[in-house]
Amino acid sequence: MAATELRGVVGPGPAAIAAPGGGGTGPPVVGGGGGRGDAGSGSGPGSGPAPGTVAAAAASGPGPGTGGVAAASPASAPPAGGSGGSGAGGSGSAREGWLFKWTNYIKGYQRRWFVLSNGLLSYYRSKAEMRHTCRGTINLATANITVEDSCNFMISNGGAQTYHLKASSEVERQRWVTALELAKAKAVKMLAESDESGDEESVSQTDKTELQNTLRTLTSKVEDLSTCNDLIAKHGTALQRSLSELESLRLPAESNEKIKQVNERATLFRITSNAMINACRDFLTLAQTHSKKWQKSLQYERDQRIRLEETLEQLAKQHNHLERAFRGATVLSANTPDSVGSSKDRCCSGKGDMSDEDDENEFFDAPEIIATPVNLGHKRTDSNISGASSDISLDEQYKYQLEETKKVKRTHIPQKPNYSLNLWSIMKNCIGKELSKIPMPVNFNEPLSMLQRLTEDLEYHELLDQAAKCKNSLEQLCYVAAFTVSSYSTTVFRTSKPFNPLLGETFELDRVEENGYRSLCEQVSHHPPAAAHHAESINGWTLRQEIKITSKFRGKYLSIMPLGSIHCIFNESEHHYTWKKVTTTVHNIIVGKLWIDQSGEIDIINHKTGDSCKLKFVPYSYFSRDIARKVTGEVKDESGKVHFVLLGTWDEKMDCFKVQPMTGDNGGDARQRGHEAEDSRVTLWQRNPLPKNAENMYYFSELALTLNAEEAGTAPTDSRLRPDQRLMEEGRWDEANAEKQRLEEKQRLSRRKREAEFMKSTAREDGTPCDPYKALWFEPKEDPVTKELTHIYRGGYWESKEKQDWSLCPNIF
């Protein structure tokens, strides 16, 4: 049960609030004033009689303290009808429908969707929420059901959980109570049958044979011990007789004393051996007595394990089926005239309703239809190249070809196929492991590599262009912080995994003509996987980073931890900024709708001026009242004084507020926080809308759709030329899986060959393998600012591209 719905230990119940001026205090606290489920055991103060049976409760009518409860529901509240009958909605539930549930003393009764199934009563904030979030469940087998008045009734399982519920009418209440009583009787009967079916429970013939063999062996060993005990007793008696005869002889006093000691020890030995035999017999008797009980317990655990695996597999199949059905419905709705307008309404209303206690914490699903993106103004106009003469050189022809390629950027890719996959059969063996070392089918992937995902950080490069123009270092830091947050906006719906780059794989993005920057990434290490990135702009900034990705599958969620620093240098001011990325978590890996969260803190530091900005990514919490995906930050100068406050969400926008000094009540100086000075609000960044039909194209942004488009003149190691990735994009997933295995095996053979050659040339004494691979376009250096060993661009790539000289590139595909 949610924390906001826990009832207090002392205080008036909901009936007192619903009926002001009534004579009672409403439903009593469980355990106080007598148990309501026990016949004749008393009742809460002023709540009327507490009959032991539902029939008696229905006949008794409301107590003196509950007058007016039926009128407590607001007139504006929708009726609680539509509760449905048996198997309503095709879900197999005994009953489901709307009821009013007591939440707390501020909000009173709130409407909830209740589902009664398999002896369990569960509730949700809405019917649609049944897909991903259950707000609470109570087991009826151990619960007491008590009728309070014509519309109210209570369900309690002994103090741990108590639900105060209210129906829209007396008839509706009686339907629910009857269904609950029947479900409780069935659950109690099933529980009793489960407890008493031990001796007659079917056990496999193998287990019976194994147990009988064990008991037979134990019996044989005890018989052997008994025989040994008889021999010990026989020889012990003879020994004692001989010792007694020695005592009768006339021997020195010292010899008689020794003989007496030996006699005593022989007696103790015989007593001990008898005790051991008796203990062995007791053990055998106990084993025979409890063997059936142990066998039953073992079989029960085995059955539970099998049942759990079958249930998880079934849930995974149902989840895939629902996803396919949802995608089919989405495609159909996209063809209707009003689909785009309605989707805008859904998008706008996503975070508007805060009337319920759970609304502030609601995770909002992706809208079914994404509005058409607006023109950002970064597209190139018609080519400036005039008609070429007949004697154009080869270099000019190549440049002309590149210009033609850059003119038109693709706006769509083949739609994602609806392939079913048993997720649990693969992921159940990956719990607690490093996923970068586990081969995965392309079904989990999106048709982009990690290098291309890294390049997507430049989606909002104009923020760095704007920062380069700032004369004030603190204002510049605000734009750098907004750029840092904007890099996560492309991940909000992207639950698929990018391809792990092959060692030596590269990716270039030349947007000098359109946007003024160009970017190069290279996979510089395979274990641990590490990628180096270098981007430079004619607008006066350079961005470089080396990111190592570590990931762990924890059963219910997947954690992705990027390691390494990001550097941003502005050429004119020589301001050098560094920061690190936060942890990304993918939830509901096995069952439910996948969703992504970012959590942690980012410290952005200007190493020239000492200015800093601390960004806090607030993790989503069921109990929090903050908006989802919230990000806060403060921009401080070298002395620690706050000048700007940042506020927003990592999936939508970031605002900046200037902190203005103001005089305090005591005449001293105080500062006015940013969110208190709305007139100083400046929107630094706002997310661009996704392309049309993005939900069928892996939720790619406008930039992401262009990243894997074929482009002439790139290096032979470029991600665009990776065959398994290209096959997956075209929807040929079976071929892509086979090609992926071939590439991975080729990479393993290349690594073994390098290690063998290195071992032969260096003759290492310890014999440990070492991969001597060196990156082609990046070299490891100690960063002069952070003192970290990182890969920095050594140059030469763009010159090689201009000459079309790729002789140094390895054959990795």
Side-chain angles (χ1 to χ4, degrees):
M1 194 188 309
T4 55
E5 298 180 6
L6 292 174
R7 295 183 51 79
V9 178
V10 181
I17 294 176
T25 57
V29 178
V30 174
R36 282 182 168 266
D38 301 325
S41 61
S43 63
S47 61
T53 62
V54 174
S60 64
T66 56
V69 176
S73 60
S76 60
S83 45
S86 176
S91 63
S93 58
R95 187 172 186 80
E96 59 182 40
W98 292 105
L99 287 172
F100 290 95
K101 180 181 179 297
W102 176 260
T103 57
N104 54 51
Y105 289 100
I106 297 176
K107 298 184 177 179
Y109 283 97
Q110 295 290 328
R111 201 168 74 135
R112 295 286 180 268
W113 182 262
F114 279 81
V115 176
L116 174 60
S117 178
N118 297 326
L120 300 175
L121 180 66
S122 306
Y123 74 95
Y124 309 84
R125 197 180 63 83
S126 64
K127 187 175 182 180
E129 199 180 54
M130 291 173 63
R131 293 181 302 164
H132 53 82
T133 305
C134 177
R135 303 289 175 173
T137 301
I138 192 168
N139 190 346
L140 296 178
T142 58
N144 293 324
I145 305 169
T146 307
V147 174
E148 296 178 334
D149 68 359
S150 58
C151 295
N152 292 48
F153 59 100
M154 181 182 74
I155 305 172
S156 173
N157 64 354
Q161 291 174 291
T162 302
Y163 293 172
H164 291 272
L165 306 175
K166 180 167 61 177
S168 60
S169 64
E170 187 173 356
V171 174
E172 187 68 22
R173 183 221 63 191
Q174 192 57 43
R175 287 174 180 168
W176 272 102
V177 170
T178 302
L180 290 168
E181 288 289 354
L182 290 173
K184 177 183 176 180
K186 188 180 294 185
V188 170
K189 183 179 178 182
M190 290 176 62
L191 186 64
E193 290 176 352
S194 175
D195 291 339
E196 296 173 1
S197 60
D199 295 338
E200 294 78 12
E201 187 172 350
S202 61
V203 182
S204 65
Q205 190 63 33
T206 304
D207 290 340
K208 284 184 178 179
T209 305
E210 182 181 352
L211 186 61
Q212 290 170 357
N213 290 337
T214 303
L215 290 174
R216 196 178 298 114
T217 303
L218 284 173
T219 304
S220 173
K221 296 297 181 184
V222 170
E223 289 175 354
D224 291 344
L225 285 172
S226 182
T227 303
C228 293
N229 179 65
D230 293 341
L231 291 173
I232 290 171
K234 178 181 178 181
H235 294 306
T237 303
L239 178 61
Q240 282 182 318
R241 189 182 305 113
S242 299
L243 289 172
S244 299
E245 291 175 356
L246 285 174
E247 285 181 356
S248 64
L249 296 176
R250 292 181 179 180
L251 295 173
E254 184 179 352
S255 298
N256 287 331
E257 188 67 27
K258 291 290 184 181
I259 292 171
K260 186 180 293 185
Q261 290 178 2
V262 173
N263 195 4
E264 290 175 354
R265 290 175 182 175
T267 304
L268 288 174
F269 178 73
R270 189 176 62 179
I271 294 172
T272 304
S273 66
N274 286 331
M276 182 186 67
I277 293 298
N278 291 333
C280 291
R281 286 199 180 98
D282 292 342
F283 169 75
L284 181 60
T285 303
L286 189 65
Q288 291 173 336
T289 304
H290 291 82
S291 62
K292 291 184 178 180
K293 181 180 178 181
W294 294 337
Q295 193 173 8
K296 174 189 171 185
S297 300
L298 178 62
Q299 186 63 30
Y300 175 77
E301 293 298 330
R302 287 175 176 171
D303 292 343
Q304 286 289 89
R305 185 194 65 190
I306 295 172
R307 196 176 299 115
L308 179 62
E309 289 184 353
E310 291 175 350
T311 302
L312 285 172
E313 289 187 5
Q314 186 67 23
L315 285 171
K317 291 177 182 177
Q318 292 176 0
H319 177 63
N320 288 330
H321 175 73
L322 289 172
E323 271 194 343
R324 291 196 299 271
F326 171 74
R327 289 190 187 122
T330 302
V331 172
L332 291 175
S333 63
N335 297 325
T336 60
D338 299 331
S339 60
V340 174
S342 62
S343 69
K344 291 180 180 178
D345 294 338
R346 286 192 292 271
C347 293
C348 295
S349 62
K351 296 184 180 180
D353 186 10
M354 297 290 182
S355 61
D356 194 70
E357 79 276 6
D358 299 319
D359 289 343
E360 298 93 321
N361 313 313
E362 185 69 15
F363 175 80
F364 302 101
D365 295 336
E368 294 180 2
I369 305 298
I370 307 298
T372 306
V374 296
N375 191 348
L376 299 180
H378 295 302
K379 302 295 182 185
R380 270 195 73 196
T381 57
D382 293 338
S383 173
N384 295 326
I385 299 178
S386 58
S389 60
S390 59
D391 55 348
I392 296 179
S393 66
L394 290 177
D395 288 344
E396 289 175 343
Q397 288 181 5
Y398 168 67
K399 291 180 180 178
Y400 181 79
Q401 184 182 10
L402 288 183
E403 293 295 332
E404 289 297 319
T405 304
K406 291 178 182 177
K407 281 182 183 179
V408 180
K409 303 297 180 186
R410 69 178 185 178
T411 58
H412 67 278
I413 59 174
Q415 290 194 2
K416 180 179 180 181
N418 288 329
Y419 285 128
S420 61
L421 178 69
N422 190 339
L423 186 64
W424 175 245
S425 64
I426 297 173
M427 299 302 290
K428 67 181 179 181
N429 298 320
C430 303
I431 297 177
K433 296 182 181 179
E434 169 61 55
L435 290 189
S436 63
K437 299 181 180 180
I438 299 173
M440 293 283 186
V442 299
N443 306 54
F444 292 106
N445 289 28
E446 62 182 16
L448 289 179
S449 76
M450 191 63 206
L451 302 181
Q452 292 164 315
R453 282 290 287 264
L454 205 58
T455 306
E456 283 189 69
D457 286 357
L458 300 172
E459 173 95 19
Y460 298 94
H461 61 89
E462 60 268 14
L463 291 171
L464 295 181
D465 295 341
Q466 185 64 32
K469 299 175 183 177
C470 292
K471 303 300 181 183
N472 186 309
S473 63
L474 294 169
E475 292 180 2
Q476 187 180 71
L477 182 52
C478 291
Y479 282 101
V480 173
F483 173 78
T484 303
V485 176
S486 71
S487 63
Y488 294 98
S489 65
T490 59
T491 67
V492 62
F493 302 130
R494 302 271 289 278
T495 55
S496 297
K497 172 182 173 291
F499 278 79
N500 289 332
L502 301 174
L503 188 61
E505 185 175 333
T506 61
F507 179 74
E508 65 154 85
L509 186 66
D510 188 356
R511 294 291 171 88
V512 174
E513 293 287 338
E514 300 95 324
N515 308 123
Y517 71 87
R518 61 186 182 184
S519 164
L520 175 66
C521 293
E522 181 180 5
Q523 187 76 359
V524 296
S525 173
H526 189 59
H527 285 306
H533 180 208
H534 180 90
E536 54 192 13
S537 171
I538 60 176
N539 296 317
W541 55 264
T542 301
L543 185 76
R544 60 180 173 85
Q545 57 182 318
E546 180 183 346
I547 298 297
K548 299 179 179 69
I549 300 293
T550 61
S551 56
K552 289 288 184 180
F553 177 52
R554 303 297 186 184
K556 297 199 304 187
Y557 62 90
L558 171 67
S559 295
I560 303 168
M561 293 79 71
L563 307 176
S565 298
I566 304 172
H567 299 254
C568 183
I569 303 102
F570 293 96
N571 303 338
E572 183 178 346
S573 62
E574 296 183 350
H575 289 165
H576 189 149
Y577 298 90
T578 62
W579 67 89
K580 296 179 183 290
K581 289 180 175 286
V582 296
T583 299
T584 300
T585 307
V586 185
H587 295 270
N588 293 347
I589 292 292
I590 301 300
V591 177
K593 183 178 178 62
L594 290 173
W595 60 278
I596 291 179
D597 196 19
Q598 314 286 350
S599 60
E601 293 184 350
I602 295 179
D603 290 315
I604 308 174
I605 300 173
N606 185 338
H607 292 275
K608 181 179 180 181
T609 64
D611 301 338
S612 64
C613 174
K614 180 182 285 291
L615 293 172
K616 183 178 181 181
F617 288 67
V618 181
Y620 172 78
S621 172
Y622 180 87
F623 302 104
S624 174
R625 292 185 175 274
D626 283 333
I627 59 174
R629 312 181 189 104
K630 182 179 179 181
V631 181
T632 61
E634 290 183 339
V635 176
K636 303 177 182 179
D637 60 17
E638 186 178 9
S639 64
K641 180 181 178 182
V642 179
H643 290 264
F644 295 95
V645 172
L646 305 178
L647 184 64
T649 58
W650 55 264
D651 67 320
E652 194 170 300
K653 68 173 185 175
M654 284 298 293
D655 292 332
C656 172
F657 302 87
K658 186 174 180 62
V659 175
Q660 301 172 353
M662 57 183 296
T663 304
D665 296 337
N666 56 0
D669 288 338
R671 68 175 186 224
Q672 184 177 7
R673 302 307 292 233
H675 51 274
E676 298 172 2
E678 285 292 329
D679 55 342
S680 68
R681 176 196 292 264
V682 175
T683 299
L684 300 173
W685 160 77
Q686 190 158 8
R687 181 173 65 91
N688 297 328
L690 290 172
K692 185 178 180 180
N693 206 27
E695 65 274 11
N696 295 322
M697 298 185 294
Y698 308 90
Y699 285 101
F700 280 178
S701 64
E702 200 172 46
L703 173 64
L705 287 173
T706 67
L707 293 180
N708 206 43
E710 295 184 19
E711 193 170 304
T714 60
T717 54
D718 197 89
S719 299
R720 299 176 179 90
L721 304 177
R722 182 167 173 166
D724 54 346
Q725 189 172 300
R726 180 66 60 190
L727 288 168
M728 185 203 171
E729 183 182 273
E730 295 171 355
R732 298 153 64 184
W733 284 16
D734 292 336
E735 297 175 57
N737 276 317
E739 189 65 20
K740 183 172 183 287
Q741 292 180 7
R742 182 190 70 82
L743 291 174
E744 290 172 349
E745 183 59 30
K746 181 178 181 180
Q747 180 174 235
R748 283 189 284 269
L749 291 175
S750 298
R751 187 188 74 247
R752 294 192 194 107
K753 184 179 179 181
R754 284 193 306 270
E755 291 174 353
E757 291 175 353
F758 183 74
M759 291 284 292
K760 189 181 298 183
S761 62
T762 58
R764 292 170 62 94
E765 296 179 359
D766 56 0
T768 57
C770 177
D771 191 350
Y773 178 81
K774 293 182 179 179
L776 185 58
W777 309 111
F778 291 81
E779 58 182 343
K781 289 183 178 179
E782 183 183 276
D783 188 87
V785 174
T786 62
K787 306 302 179 184
E788 297 175 347
L789 185 64
T790 183
H791 281 78
I792 298 177
Y793 179 56
R794 72 170 79 202
Y797 179 86
W798 303 108
E799 291 77 8
S800 296
K801 181 179 179 180
E802 187 175 354
K803 298 175 184 177
Q804 283 298 287
D805 179 12
W806 304 115
S807 57
L808 297 177
C809 293
N811 178 16
I812 61 174
F813 298 141

